[in-house]
Amino acid sequence: RRAQRGETPGFPRFKSAKRFDSLQWEDSRSWKIKFDAQRLFLPGIGEVKARYYRPMRGTPKAITVKREGRKWWVSVRCAEVPAEPLERNGREIGIDLGVVNIVATSDGVLIVADRFAAKSRVRLTKAKQARARSQVGSKRHDIRSQRVAQIHREIANQRRNAAHQLSRRLVNDFDFIVVEDLEIARMLRRSKGTKGQITEGGRRLHPAFQRSLNRAVYDVGWGTLLLFILYKAESAGRVTMAVDPRYTSQTCAECGHVEASNRVSQAKFSCRERGHENHADVNAARNILRAGRAQRALSRANQ
């Protein structure tokens, strides 16, 4: 590209073997899965041993072989996967996401967030300090780097497992699920050298508090949970809807009065107009459900 534009071409960048951790084949002919023999045939490599923990459904289209530390995983992407609809029960739920309670439902259930990264922070810090004391490029540095990566994988697996269990429970229990339409990437803006983002009430967060909030949002895994809810609901025939979350924490679910001072604290909501009191997250979840019902009725009327 630089040579065509008359610019200085530069030099090729060195690409270490550690830089690439996956191979993928975007076809369905060159590779072959042998379930009975517990083998996987890969072009240019041959047959390798494999352990399959669930049968393949649908029509296979592509395959990805990924390395995680000393372990290898195979992922098969399939099309035309049959749905597994669940029996309808008529139940509806609104969900408010948080960093203390990862889920607060409109029927008053609070699910405390499992802060897996916070629980493993000491262990991870010690592993990073040990790696920093070794020379880069040495065998000891590689071993300690693998230890750090292993801890990160354990945290990610714990977070993913918790999201799978929670999303499955919500999809199994409710026909209509209303969630917040969150711009998570925008919320996780860089706080170093900035003034912090402006909250719903008009306050500007301190950069140090913004960094702490970013770590907490990453730790609870909002995006993963929402993604799991959406794809499980689609397979089960459930209806999901995302609504604008603005002012849901300041609006009274009983009378509709909107005021920033209605939210007394992180956990307490007290309406200044009628005196209604509730948990702040539960009150927000009720507003989210009401907004979802209104949005559903409007879409039906337009049809």
Side-chain angles (χ1 to χ4, degrees):
R1 178 186 57 82
R2 291 180 178 179
Q4 291 177 352
R5 294 182 179 181
E7 302 175 1
T8 303
F11 298 92
R13 180 177 58 187
F14 174 74
K15 298 179 177 61
S16 170
K18 300 177 183 178
R19 183 181 180 88
F20 303 96
D21 290 323
S22 65
L23 292 170
Q24 65 181 23
W25 289 267
E26 298 292 338
D27 65 304
S28 58
R29 296 181 179 180
S30 59
W31 54 272
K32 186 176 181 181
I33 289 180
K34 301 179 180 179
F35 284 99
D36 297 335
Q38 294 290 294
R39 293 291 189 272
L40 172 65
F41 178 81
L42 298 174
I45 299 175
E47 285 193 357
V48 295
K49 294 181 180 180
R51 295 180 181 177
Y52 304 107
Y53 64 94
R54 63 178 176 180
M56 187 168 56
R57 301 168 60 240
T59 305
K61 293 294 185 180
I63 190 174
T64 300
V65 178
K66 183 179 180 181
R67 177 180 61 184
E68 291 185 358
R70 296 184 178 182
K71 296 183 178 181
W72 292 83
W73 301 87
V74 56
S75 174
V76 182
R77 298 193 294 279
C78 300
E80 301 174 359
V81 178
E84 297 178 349
L86 298 175
E87 185 178 354
R88 300 186 63 84
N89 53 31
R91 301 181 64 189
E92 301 177 347
I93 196 72
I95 296 175
D96 177 75
L97 301 178
V99 294
V100 178
N101 300 305
I102 183 173
V103 165
T105 64
S106 54
D107 54 5
V109 178
L110 299 174
I111 301 176
V112 180
D114 290 315
R115 304 286 292 277
F116 297 109
K119 294 177 182 178
S120 302
R121 185 169 300 165
V122 175
R123 190 163 56 106
L124 182 60
T125 301
K126 290 183 178 180
K128 288 183 177 180
Q129 290 173 346
R131 182 182 61 180
R133 289 193 296 267
S134 58
Q135 184 177 359
V136 177
S138 65
K139 185 175 181 180
R140 180 173 296 178
H141 187 272
D142 291 342
I143 294 174
R144 293 178 175 179
S145 296
Q146 291 178 9
R147 176 57 180 165
V148 173
Q150 179 184 354
I151 297 175
H152 279 297
R153 284 196 301 271
E154 291 175 359
I155 295 172
N157 291 338
Q158 290 173 336
R159 188 181 297 126
R160 191 180 302 112
N161 178 63
H164 271 302
Q165 294 184 16
L166 180 55
S167 60
R168 172 50 61 192
R169 184 168 46 177
L170 292 171
V171 170
N172 286 351
D173 292 345
F174 299 97
D175 283 345
F176 182 58
I177 303 174
V178 187
V179 299
E180 300 175 87
D181 188 11
L182 297 176
E183 297 182 5
I184 301 177
R186 185 178 180 182
M187 295 174 62
L188 298 173
R189 62 179 60 184
R190 292 184 59 186
S191 55
K192 184 177 181 180
T194 67
K195 299 180 181 180
Q197 68 173 337
I198 299 177
T199 63
E200 186 178 282
R203 298 182 295 108
R204 187 178 294 275
L205 297 180
H206 191 273
F209 183 79
Q210 178 70 54
R211 288 191 292 270
S212 177
L213 179 62
N214 290 354
R215 285 194 297 267
V217 172
Y218 274 120
D219 202 359
V220 295
W222 288 346
T224 302
L225 177 62
L226 291 175
L227 178 64
F228 288 177
I229 290 175
L230 292 178
Y231 93 79
K232 285 184 173 67
E234 182 178 0
S235 177
R238 305 303 201 195
V239 178
T240 59
M241 188 166 290
V243 299
D244 190 350
R246 288 181 295 180
Y247 304 108
T248 54
S249 62
Q250 301 178 8
T251 304
C252 179
E254 293 290 333
C255 65
H257 175 66
V258 183
E259 187 176 338
S261 59
N262 283 345
R263 184 153 189 173
V264 181
S265 64
Q266 181 68 27
K268 185 178 180 180
F269 181 91
S270 180
C271 180
R272 301 301 184 186
E273 184 76 14
R274 299 291 179 87
H276 169 69
E277 294 185 355
N278 200 347
H279 193 284
D281 295 339
V282 175
N283 179 81
R286 294 178 60 187
N287 289 324
I288 291 170
L289 177 59
R290 181 166 54 187
R293 287 170 174 169
Q295 187 171 322
R296 180 180 59 178
L298 181 61
S299 62
R300 288 177 177 177
N302 293 334
Q303 291 177 356

